[in-house]
Amino acid sequence: MEDSFEDLIASYIENNVGIAEDFLSPVLANQLKQNLLDLNQNKMLLAAGIGNHERPAYDDAIRSDSIYWLDKKHNNVFENEFFAKIDAFILYLNESCYAGITSYEFHYALYEKGDFYLKHLDQFKNNPSRKYSMICYLNGNWQEADGGELLIHQVNNNQKIAPTQGKTVFFKSDELIHEVLVTQNTRMSITGWLKSD
């Protein structure tokens, strides 16, 4: 487990974007993906906003995915396993990098064919609590023709990341402008933020 944590941190230090190919085990990724599919089947997902709860806003010309917030109160066995992994990573991050993370929030994200999310930063102007963004992908057998890559904009070094199952991406929420390119296939993830409240 610590190998994937160190992969995230070391690649982040090197390139401002941490990537671990196997942060989520194949079994857990499949279980979480099935949760997301079941929630979607039961019409539990909602249109994703572009503001926070203090200033909610919706614009499908900017963002067209659907989301469902994870919550320990749901007491879902697989989501609890995911939370345990995040708790362990935060402990490792705080001990090794003095990151000062005190909380987090995560949601499922579902992009149907044609969905996208234009360029944005993850930290709100009226709330600086989000420190690091994390995206855990749940897409088995993803092909280049499926699109839906995460495009991270850096000076002279734009980085396109395929949303392949098990992979996790990690970066500072207030530093890197990024976008989700138009997807040609159903694209699933758990997306969230490590916070210092």
Side-chain angles (χ1 to χ4, degrees), residues 2-22:
E2 288 189 0
D3 287 347
S4 65
F5 295 173
E6 193 55 40
D7 286 346
L8 274 184
I9 293 169
S11 52
Y12 164 76
I13 290 170
E14 181 178 348
N15 191 41
N16 298 321
V17 180
I19 298 177
E21 296 290 340
D22 56 354

Side-chain angles (χ1 to χ4, degrees), residues 35-130:
N35 274 2
L36 174 49
L37 291 170
D38 291 344
L39 288 164
N40 188 48
Q41 180 74 25
N42 292 319
K43 303 188 185 308
M44 299 292 288
L45 275 68
L46 300 173
I50 54 173
N52 62 7
H53 66 280
E54 296 170 14
R55 295 182 181 174
Y58 300 89
D59 188 342
D60 62 9
I62 295 174
R63 179 181 188 180
S64 54
D65 60 314
S66 300
I67 66 170
Y68 179 90
W69 288 98
L70 278 66
D71 193 319
K72 289 182 178 179
K73 293 177 183 176
H74 298 159
N75 202 28
N76 178 281
V77 62
F78 305 123
E79 292 170 12
N80 286 345
E81 186 177 344
F82 172 79
F83 286 136
K85 182 95 176 186
I86 295 299
D87 288 336
F89 175 65
I90 289 172
L91 181 63
Y92 188 88
L93 180 68
N94 282 342
E95 288 182 347
S96 60
C97 301
Y98 307 102
I101 300 304
T102 56
S103 65
Y104 53 81
E105 57 186 1
F106 283 91
H107 62 65
Y108 289 114
L110 176 69
Y111 289 73
E112 302 283 11
K113 183 177 180 180
D115 285 346
F116 57 89
Y117 192 171
L118 299 183
K119 292 180 184 179
H120 63 282
L121 279 174
D122 279 349
Q123 192 179 85
F124 298 117
K125 292 180 180 178
N126 65 331
N127 186 338
S129 64
R130 291 179 174 179

